[in-house]
Amino acid sequence: MDFSVWSERRSGATDSRPGDQRTPWQRDRARILHSAAFRRLQAKTQILGIGQNDFYRTRLTHSLEASQIGTGLVSQLRSKTAADLLPILPQDALMESLCLAHDIGHPPFGHGGETALNYKMLQDGGFEGNGQTLRIVAKLEPYTQQHGMDLSRRTLLGLLKYPVLQPSLASTTLPQQNPLNLTPWKPAKAIFAADADILDWILSPLSDSDRVLFQSTEQLTESPFIKSRYKSLDASIMELADDIAYGVHDLEDAIVLGNISQSQWQQHTETEWAALSSDLKQMMQQISAALFSNQHHLRKDAIGSLVNLLISSVGLAEVLPQAQQPLIRFNAVLSKEPQAILHCLKQVVFRCVIARPDIQQSRFRCQNMLMALFDAFSSDPSRLLPANTQQRWQQAPAQLKTRVICDYISGMTDDYAEHMYRRLYANS
């Protein structure tokens, strides 16, 4: 199998620095690690807001943990995969690149901020964190003049959780004023139409039939938008690493900070553990007891056991058997019971932490701050935007000027967004 087309860069650059022995994926990892967008993750919300405690994870530490889990998943796949399929598995540096970069498009204040920006961009192409990630690595980060970090094609394919374009929203369905409830305006799981040229370049090695299959969509139930049905092999591994890091390590934060009590844990897991096979049931009961032990090393060992249980259950599955290209024909999946355990862990974190009224009240406040910032900069961009963003705004075609404002706000850290809000609205 010839994968040389997947190591190409959009600029056509050949990575010809004298004496450089790195692979394309090692170069990609370096560009991500040294980018301003990656550094900003240290001050972006994972679940709890920055400054609420000094222990919990940020999007930066979450991404580092996802990177470690991602290479663990790849190692497991190498030990289980038939010899003829081993060449399609990603190298460790490629998987690290994907996991390190997977969240750099997230705006301040997590998914609440994402929904707020999507609402403000409804008439101008929408907003979604993964779509912004692609925009940053392929257009905005100033590693090159026109192509962002100019990452290799396979790295870009692996970052595409949703390899389809945002649909246009009929103007008749748009609300006339800012609603207090933004839930109906959760974003489409798709790439911005403004970045169609990047998506076309990434998918150009696929046959016409493969591309039609790969870009199948389904309707979202809580939104007027769509979600793509498929992702590449590399993206499926990255997403599993993301889910495990979220389900296990964010659970650890919640327990240590007292946001999940042992009684809550039992309430949300007892039925699920009872449905497991006897060996797994016993293991989860032992892990559950250790998670709430007063001895910290026992809790840490339980967290490690949970991660190992999930990683060691990974395997390859043919999700698109009709596809010719193996990078989209196969995905990484967990076996049935470990997948159910991971789903349960994520639900516990959501119900006991994310859905808490105080967390949701904070999210409400932050959403309104971002919408107010958007209104301010949109009202007089040539006066209020910083000089370099003003220049981008002035040079952008009329249909993309609002996208430039969105790029600026979404790139803010939580602290900087708060600071800018106070600067513009201190007396309001």
Side-chain angles (χ1 to χ4, degrees):
M1 285 177 277
D2 182 12
F3 288 100
S4 59
V5 67
W6 295 104
S7 65
E8 293 174 354
R9 302 185 188 279
R10 196 159 178 236
S11 68
T14 56
D15 300 317
S16 57
R17 284 179 175 167
D20 192 344
Q21 299 301 310
R22 295 174 299 169
T23 67
W25 331 120
Q26 289 172 321
R27 295 186 183 99
D28 287 351
R29 180 182 57 191
R31 293 177 188 192
I32 293 162
L33 275 170
H34 292 284
S35 68
F38 180 73
R39 289 195 299 277
R40 290 190 188 104
L41 294 177
Q42 67 186 301
K44 290 198 177 189
T45 293
Q46 174 63 8
I47 291 182
L48 298 175
I50 304 299
Q52 289 179 243
N53 194 281
D54 63 357
F55 169 82
Y56 59 84
R57 290 160 167 91
T58 65
R59 287 215 179 258
L60 179 65
T61 57
H62 161 76
S63 298
L64 293 170
E65 288 170 336
S67 175
Q68 185 271 323
I69 292 169
T71 55
L73 289 166
V74 172
S75 180
Q76 279 289 326
L77 289 171
R78 289 193 189 114
S79 72
K80 298 176 179 180
T81 299
D84 63 322
L85 290 178
L86 282 174
I88 74 171
L89 295 179
Q91 293 182 18
D92 284 355
L94 171 56
M95 186 46 52
E96 289 172 351
S97 297
L98 300 181
C99 293
L100 292 172
H102 81 280
D103 264 355
I104 62 174
H106 267 286
F109 313 126
H111 288 290
E114 181 184 47
T115 303
L117 286 181
N118 183 57
Y119 174 77
K120 300 306 291 188
M121 289 293 292
L122 284 174
Q123 299 182 66
D124 297 286
F127 179 85
E128 194 277 329
N130 187 246
Q132 190 68 16
T133 292
L134 179 66
R135 189 166 171 78
I136 288 169
V137 300
K139 279 190 177 178
L140 301 181
E141 189 70 25
Y143 188 92
T144 63
Q145 187 172 2
Q146 293 180 308
H147 302 297
M149 297 183 197
D150 197 26
L151 303 180
S152 58
R153 183 185 265 112
R154 183 165 175 176
T155 301
L156 294 177
L157 178 71
L159 286 172
L160 289 178
K161 290 174 68 173
Y162 316 114
V164 296
L165 292 180
Q166 292 259 12
S168 298
L169 190 63
S171 58
T172 54
T173 65
L174 298 174
Q176 298 303 305
Q177 58 185 14
N178 282 5
L180 291 179
N181 179 12
L182 289 176
T183 301
W185 303 109
K186 291 179 180 177
K189 302 299 185 180
I191 302 305
F192 309 139
D195 300 322
D197 56 332
I198 306 171
L199 184 61
D200 285 340
W201 182 82
I202 296 170
L203 301 184
S204 60
L206 300 182
S207 67
D208 290 344
S209 58
D210 274 8
R211 181 161 177 175
V212 169
L213 286 169
F214 188 52
Q215 294 191 288
S216 302
T217 61
E218 60 189 41
Q219 184 68 41
L220 288 173
T221 56
E222 297 181 354
S223 160
F225 297 117
I226 58 156
K227 179 181 180 180
S228 60
R229 297 179 62 194
Y230 300 108
K231 57 182 67 67
S232 70
L233 168 63
D234 301 338
S236 72
I237 304 172
M238 175 266 284
E239 190 165 48
L240 272 181
D242 183 23
D243 283 351
I244 293 171
Y246 162 66
V248 178
H249 292 304
D250 290 347
L251 170 69
E252 180 185 13
D253 275 4
I255 292 173
V256 171
L257 294 172
N259 292 327
I260 298 178
S261 67
Q262 191 163 10
S263 61
Q264 285 177 309
W265 171 260
Q266 290 171 341
Q267 174 190 346
H268 290 294
T269 62
E270 194 169 14
T271 302
E272 281 73 9
W273 298 170
L276 298 172
S277 59
S278 57
D279 288 348
L280 267 182
K281 183 193 306 180
Q282 183 179 8
M283 179 184 294
M284 290 310 301
Q285 288 169 344
Q286 292 170 346
I287 287 174
S288 296
L291 284 174
F292 292 91
S293 170
N294 290 326
Q295 300 184 58
H296 290 184
H297 72 279
L298 294 179
R299 182 190 301 124
K300 205 68 186 175
D301 183 65
I303 292 295
S305 296
L306 262 180
V307 173
N308 180 69
L309 166 65
L310 298 170
I311 288 178
S312 61
S313 75
V314 73
L316 281 187
E318 249 188 329
V319 293
L320 272 175
Q322 316 96 304
Q324 303 164 34
Q325 171 55 248
L327 290 181
I328 66 168
R329 188 163 75 240
F330 294 94
N331 271 190
V333 297
L334 301 185
S335 51
K336 184 177 179 181
E337 288 192 315
Q339 180 61 52
I341 290 171
L342 178 56
H343 178 73
C344 180
L345 299 179
K346 291 167 63 179
Q347 287 298 302
V348 171
V349 173
F350 177 79
R351 292 169 183 164
C352 297
V353 182
I354 297 175
R356 277 174 41 184
D358 60 330
I359 298 294
Q360 290 303 311
Q361 289 161 7
S362 176
R363 174 177 286 193
F364 179 86
R365 169 181 170 271
C366 293
Q367 287 178 319
N368 281 284
M369 277 199 297
L370 281 195
M371 290 198 293
L373 285 177
F374 198 99
D375 289 342
F377 290 120
S378 299
S379 71
D380 197 347
S382 61
R383 182 164 68 104
L384 298 179
L385 287 173
N388 59 337
T389 309
Q390 275 189 42
Q391 185 176 12
R392 280 192 59 226
W393 181 82
Q394 289 162 356
Q395 293 173 351
Q399 70 272 20
L400 293 180
K401 286 187 181 297
T402 310
R403 179 66 63 189
V404 173
I405 295 171
C406 186
D407 288 339
Y408 173 58
I409 296 174
S410 69
M412 294 179 178
T413 63
D414 293 17
D415 286 344
Y416 188 78
E418 291 245 20
H419 169 77
M420 185 59 69
Y421 178 81
R422 288 195 301 269
R423 175 182 289 182
L424 294 174
Y425 291 99
N427 297 319
S428 63

